[in-house]
Every structure is written in structure tokens, then in C-alpha cells.
Amino acid sequence: MRSDKMKSGVERIPHRALFKSLGLTDEEMRRPMIGIVNSQNDIIPGHLHLNDIVEAVKAGVRIAGGTPFQFPAIGVCDGIAMGHEGMKYSLISREHIADSVEIMAMAHPFDALVFVPNCDKIVPGMIMAALRLNIPSIFVSGGPMMPGFYSGKKMTVSNAFEAVGAVGANKMGEQEAKDIENYSCPGCGSCAGMFTANSMNCMTEVIGLGLPGNGTIPAVNAARIRLAKEAGMKVMELLGKNICPRDIVTSDSLHNALTADMALGCSTNTVLHLPAIAHSAGIKIELKDINRISKATPHLVKLSPAGPDTLMDLWQAGGLPAVLKELDEYGLLNSGCMTVTAKTVAQNIKGASVKDANVIRNRENAYSPDGGLAILWGNLAPDGAVVKKGAVLPEMMVHKGPAKVYNSEEDCMAAIMGGKVVSGDVIVVRYEGPKGGPGVREMLTPTSAIAGMGLDSSVALITDGRFSGASRGASIGHISPEAAAGGLIGIIEDGDIISIDIPNNKLELLVDEKTITERKAKFVPLEKPVPNGYLKRYRKMVTSANTGAIFEE
């Protein structure tokens, strides 16, 4: 056993003495030692309850003959960090989480690991660590939040963000806004729509690292506790069979994840995280691969913010096994891939079925014949940009308009709330990319304000930053190269015409080549000051958004 390095032999007498100071018996030390990565904290709603999940995992490990040890991982709540300097620390926490798990698991050589994440960057950070370490591992997330209810309508945190714009445009009174504030987020769990956290928990299940139900069982349902116990037991089986993360995360399983991503209409952040996860497995995903898969995959599920349904509805409709069964029938899956059930995808979904065809549609009734995400190219994004096209209104799929240019999210938000953005505009927010931010802030605050004002049918927003999965509308992010790296987005001026053509994957600055050449010759990228510390180190090491914003080797 790997843990023999720290517990077996005469040389390990002092190590065993230290274990006994923890209250461990000789029998517990003889058993496999299982690390449990617990990202519980008291500030993230999706993580508030994770100690209960971890206790269930521990019970499962003990049932199956192992000895569990939990250790912590940090986390950032994107919703609470949104709209201020704190958001610069969200994406960059992914690398920190991966590094810290590696440190703990190498310093204390556990035989296997159980990862308990829930939100945003915590999930991909932990997956990246699991792939680096490549010891038997399983994931069990904290599960999605239940939807809120107000005036007989389901609600999510998107409604709260959009209330800001509605109040600013005098379309909503203060009392209604207060009611939305009180009722939209009813309890613990990852925010109830197909935002980044739930997108990545679904991807974890599809890719094979989480048990069926990992992505959709609600946080407050007892089935989540049972799932955690099963994960604790299952990791012991994975250890016995020596099934490791790199046996599961392969080119074929990543293809499955991207296919499900398109069918589900997941967050644009998956286009940052899946390439970074692939990189940790020694596999390369390119943006052209994502578009190719999107073109072949029907959009079958439309959850908040793109539609009224939530993760609870998807779970009740049959969950991800039902979605995968539908995709497999179209020949779109690699169903022979191994998973943490110690069975293949085909075996896992054999008995699955769609229980609500209004939530999980078939190909004939799909929302669109192709996927919920699209990659755009053009002179503005020669290395690519991404849009959640499943959340774009039909009238904004093709749009031309004059640019309104801002060098920060704060400047953009002040203009929106000040009434300076009007119908037809293309808002440009730059210097928010990996190096420029630094940290690739999410633009949910401005996109929600636009939607709340009723401008999402006539105003687009493009940025070298990124978007929350809760953003909707013609919101185009990850423009690469970014402004700080000399990208064309850095030389756009107010009034320049920008052309967006999502069906044809085009994003163009309609300025003549002579003018572009003259502007480039004079262009000096802005470098925002950052404090000494992690932000400064991150800026030096990070690569472009089209690579997944991984660190340079």
C-alpha cells in the first residue's frame, strides 16, 4: 500500500506514535488510509453543508474496511465575489487548489482519495490534482440548491442579479426586489441553475469520476447522503482494482463530457476548465474540437438562466444517465469508457430513461440541432471566443452595432446604470483577461443589469474576461488574444462597428486594414497595477483563455 511509506516497518515507529496521538488503533493503521478532501466553509452556500457529506463518506470508507482522514481545500463563492476586486481571485484559486491537494497527498501518502467539492473553480481544481496524483480517486459533490419560489414562479440567483438592472431602469419596485432577495436562494447547495458549479459537477459525472447522480441530486435530499456513503465504499473497490483517474479521463471520456456539455447548454466556463483538465491528463483539447462536437450535438436541455427549469427538474426527469442514454442512441457517445462505478458508461446507463420529455427533449424536438455553446473566430478573436448560444435570444444571433468601450468591469457597470448604453450597442469590456485582469473576472453583474433592463434583445457584450454560467444574452467572452497580450480588442474605439454572427461562428471588427495597422503601431497595452502576492505571480505564469488559462510549463 502507498500508505506503508508512512506507517510500516521499524523506521516508522515515530510515525505510528503520531498516528496513535490522533486516537488511531493498530487495526485502523493496518487498513488502507483514505484521504478526504473537504472544501467546507461557512461563506459559500454550496459548501456550508459539506461536513455532513464528508461524515457520510467516512462512514462508507469504514464500512468497506478503510481508515478515513479529512483535510481542507479553500474555495471562492463567485456570486459573493462578483462585481468587485474579489472576483480576480476566483479562477486563480483553481491552480492553488490543485497545488494544495498535491502537497497534502504527497506529504501524506494516502492509498486513495475522495474529493468533496461543489462550486465553480473547486471542482476543476480538484480534478486537476487527481490527475496529477493518479491514485484511486472518486468525487462526490455537495449537490445543487433547490429553486426558490416567488409569486408562483421558480427562481434562482439569476433573478436576484437581474433585479439590479430592473430596479435601475425603474421596472421593478424596491419591495419586489426585496422579496426576490429573500426567496431566490432558499438554502444550501450550488446555485440552482446550469451555472458553472452545476455544469462542472455534471461534467464530473459524465467524464466518469463521480457516481450517477453526482451532478443532479439536490443538496438537501437524503439521496445525496446515501450517494456519499456509496462513494466512500466505492473508493475502496477502486483501490482494490487499482482503477486510477487517468484510466477514466481519456480522449474518449473527454469527448463524452464535451458532447453532454453541448446537449445540456452548460456554462461557457467549461471551455476554460475541460481543456485545463485535459492538459493535466496529458491530453490536448482545441477550440476547433469543441465546435466540431457542438455542430454534431443537439441541444436537449435548457435550464436556468436559458430556461425555467433547474437541476432539481433535470434530476426528476431522469438525470444525466437519461441524457447520456439519449445521446448514445444517436451514436454520439463513447459508451465503453470506464467510470468510478468500476463499470462502463454503457453499463451505467442501461436502465436509464427519460421521465419528463419537457425537460429532456429528443433530437426531433431539440431546442436546436446543434449544441448550447459556440466558438467564434475572426479578426477580433483569431484564437477564438466563446458564447452560450443556447441562452441568446433569436434576434441577437446576428447583430451589428457601435462599440462602447470600457477598460474595466466597474467602468462598464457605471455606464450601464447611468443610462449610457442604448439599444443596438456592443459593449466592449477589456483588460479583464488572464494577464490583463489579472484573473479573468466574470461579467455577471453587467450582463444581468442588461437583462434586467430589458436590453438583452438589443445589446451585446464582448470581453476578454469571462461569464458566469448565470449570464444570458449575446455575451461573448474569452476573446483571445486578450488586450493585455496585444489583441485587437485593445485597439477598438467608441463607435467602431462590430459584427457578431453566431450561426457562422464569426466575430469581426469592421474597420479597414489601414486604420487597424495605424492603431496597432501606436498601441501600448494597459498594465493594471496589482499588489505583491498571488496576483502578481499569476500574471507572470498564466497563458491565454483559449488554452484554458493554464500555467506556462
Side-chain angles (χ1 to χ4, degrees), residues 390-402:
V392 179
L393 292 171
E395 56 266 42
M396 289 300 292
M397 296 293 281
V398 177
H399 179 76
K400 285 183 186 177

Side-chain angles (χ1 to χ4, degrees), residues 359-372:
V359 177
I360 304 172
R361 296 189 175 189
N362 58 30
R363 177 174 249 163
E364 291 68 33
N365 196 33
Y367 289 101
S368 67
D370 51 5

Side-chain angles (χ1 to χ4, degrees), residues 32-78:
M33 292 186 165
I34 311 301
I36 303 173
V37 191
N38 182 6
S39 55
Q40 192 279 337
N41 61 53
D42 292 345
I43 196 165
I44 305 179
H47 290 232
L48 182 65
H49 63 304
L50 292 191
N51 284 340
D52 293 337
I53 302 293
V54 167
E55 287 305 312
V57 170
K58 286 181 178 179
V61 168
R62 291 190 178 107
I63 287 169
T67 299
F69 299 85
Q70 70 163 315
F71 61 88
I74 66 161
V76 172
C77 177
D78 279 26

Side-chain angles (χ1 to χ4, degrees), residues 57 84 97 128 155 187 189 191 194 209 223 231 263 298 311 463 524 538:
V57 170
H84 58 86
I97 290 163
M128 290 161 68
M155 308 196 75
C191 297
M194 189 57 85
L209 290 173
L311 268 290
T463 180
V524 178
Y538 184 86

Side-chain angles (χ1 to χ4, degrees), residues 290-510:
I290 295 173
N291 246 12
R292 175 178 48 79
I293 293 171
S294 181
K295 293 290 186 185
T297 307
H299 186 187
L300 305 179
V301 177
K302 189 172 276 198
L303 306 185
S304 174
D309 295 324
T310 66
L311 268 290
M312 178 194 71
D313 300 297
L314 178 58
W315 175 57
Q316 292 177 335
L320 296 175
V323 176
L324 295 180
K325 184 75 174 291
E326 199 74 22
L327 294 171
D328 192 39
E329 289 179 0
Y330 308 145
L332 297 175
L333 286 189
N334 297 306
S335 58
C337 293
M338 178 55 61
T339 73
V340 289
T341 64
K343 299 176 182 177
T344 64
V345 172
Q347 291 171 307
N348 290 343
I349 65 176
K350 186 177 180 181
S353 63
V354 174
K355 297 178 174 62
D356 187 341
N358 292 317
V359 177
I360 304 172
R361 296 189 175 189
N362 58 30
R363 177 174 249 163
E364 291 68 33
N365 196 33
Y367 289 101
S368 67
D370 51 5
L373 299 182
I375 309 299
L376 309 185
W377 283 277
N379 65 352
L380 254 180
D383 292 336
V386 64
V387 62
K388 187 172 183 174
K389 76 178 188 67
V392 179
L393 292 171
E395 56 266 42
M396 289 300 292
M397 296 293 281
V398 177
H399 179 76
K400 285 183 186 177
K404 293 277 180 71
V405 183
Y406 306 99
N407 287 340
S408 71
E409 179 188 3
E410 289 83 358
D411 291 347
C412 168
M413 195 60 193
I416 292 170
M417 298 304 288
K420 294 180 181 178
V421 172
V422 298
S423 179
D425 284 346
V426 178
I427 301 169
V428 178
V429 186
R430 60 194 180 194
Y431 297 106
E432 293 288 6
K435 291 183 181 292
V440 208
R441 286 198 288 179
E442 290 182 342
M443 302 291 133
L444 178 57
T445 302
T447 59
S448 297
I450 291 166
M453 291 177 170
L455 292 172
D456 56 319
S457 62
S458 60
V459 170
L461 189 153
I462 71 170
T463 180
D464 53 10
R466 62 193 178 94
F467 296 105
S468 165
S471 288
R472 62 185 175 97
S475 305
I476 299 166
H478 307 184
I479 289 176
S480 301
E482 61 177 300
L488 207 65
I489 189 174
I491 65 168
I492 301 174
E493 296 182 1
D494 283 342
D496 288 348
I497 301 300
I498 293 171
S499 173
I500 299 165
D501 185 348
I502 295 172
N504 290 303
N505 304 97
K506 293 287 187 183
L507 180 63
E508 297 280 347
L509 175 63
L510 301 183

Side-chain angles (χ1 to χ4, degrees), residues 91-103:
L91 180 65
I92 75 177
S93 70
R94 185 185 72 183
E95 271 60 31
H96 178 90
I97 290 163
D99 290 346
S100 64
V101 172
E102 177 188 346
I103 288 167

Side-chain angles (χ1 to χ4, degrees), residues 224-244:
R224 178 64 56 177
I225 297 297
R226 295 195 297 271
L227 187 78
K229 290 178 182 177
E230 289 168 8
M233 291 185 279
K234 186 61 68 173
V235 79
M236 298 298 293
E237 182 180 347
L238 295 173
L239 175 60
K241 294 180 176 178
N242 195 32
I243 298 174
C244 297

